[in-house]
Amino acid sequence: MAYLTDIEIAQSCKMQKITEIAHKAGIDEKYLEQYGNYKAKVDLSLLKDLADRPDGKLILVTAITPTPAGEGKTTTSVGLTDGLRKIGKNAIVALREPSLGPVFGVKGGAAGGGYAQVVPMEDINLHFTGDFHAIGAANNLLAAMLDNHIQQGNTLGIDPKAITWKRAAGRPPGGWL
């Protein structure tokens, strides 16, 4: 019996539009900042507007070391949410945007695995909404300003040997694999 790879499973999925998913979760379209048909950010004003609703329950999945097959936090979170929905619970999963890590999303790209993964996998592993790139660019701009200030005379008297500010998105500690 041949097994499908994670990417084959992801690409065989018929994705639902993000507006349909938001509707099922009780989120009005006015709270969505869409990134195409399948991704969106949710406006935090939704929390204020739903303040009269009772709080739900939170299950935090963290600090899991993936197995050699790749089951880790995202796979567990997606599988748990699928299971809760299967037994009739109103459940939704919230995941953070993944960093690419030293292997460019091939392993540990935070899309889950097997039939418990998030799609579109390729978008998730290639900048998703662009937030990480924006954070890296802002960080590097501040680092360049600091370098320039020291080069141009250092009127603030910054000790260059005491700087712990690092540039982002460069070679990871230990180098590339």
Side-chain angles (χ1 to χ4, degrees):
M1 179 174 160
Y3 292 97
L4 297 176
T5 65
D6 288 349
I7 191 70
E8 289 170 332
I9 293 168
Q11 290 177 343
S12 70
C13 290
K14 180 179 180 337
M15 294 191 291
Q16 296 177 6
K17 291 193 175 190
I18 195 66
T19 51
E20 295 171 23
I21 294 168
H23 178 74
K24 287 179 186 177
I27 300 172
D28 192 284
E29 204 170 321
K30 71 181 181 181
Y31 296 107
L32 298 181
E33 180 181 336
Q34 288 188 242
Y35 288 79
N37 290 320
Y38 306 106
K39 299 178 286 192
K41 292 181 186 178
V42 179
D43 188 327
L44 289 178
S45 66
L46 171 69
L47 296 175
K48 180 180 62 170
D49 294 348
L50 298 178
D52 59 334
R53 284 194 184 174
D55 288 342
K57 294 185 168 76
L58 172 69
I59 300 171
L60 181 63
V61 178
T62 187
I64 292 175
T65 302
T67 70
E71 303 94 347
K73 294 181 291 295
T74 303
T75 305
T76 300
S77 298
V78 172
L80 179 61
T81 304
D82 284 347
L84 288 169
R85 291 185 66 79
K86 184 79 171 175
I87 63 170
K89 300 294 182 184
N90 186 11
I92 191 165
V93 65
L95 303 169
R96 82 281 181 240
E97 182 176 346
S99 62
L100 292 178
V103 290
F104 200 56
V106 173
K107 175 79 175 69
Y115 291 94
Q117 61 178 298
V118 182
V119 292
M121 177 197 281
E122 302 92 322
D123 289 359
I124 292 166
N125 284 329
L126 295 171
H127 289 291
F128 205 33
T129 61
D131 287 353
F132 267 160
H133 175 71
I135 291 167
N139 180 87
N140 290 341
L141 174 61
L142 292 171
M145 290 170 58
L146 183 59
D147 290 346
N148 187 56
H149 174 80
I150 292 169
Q151 178 66 30
Q152 298 298 327
N154 195 6
T155 58
L156 295 175
I158 298 169
D159 179 1
K161 293 179 182 170
I163 296 173
T164 57
W165 190 280
K166 304 258 191 233
R167 292 187 184 267
R171 189 176 67 85
W176 295 104
L177 297 179

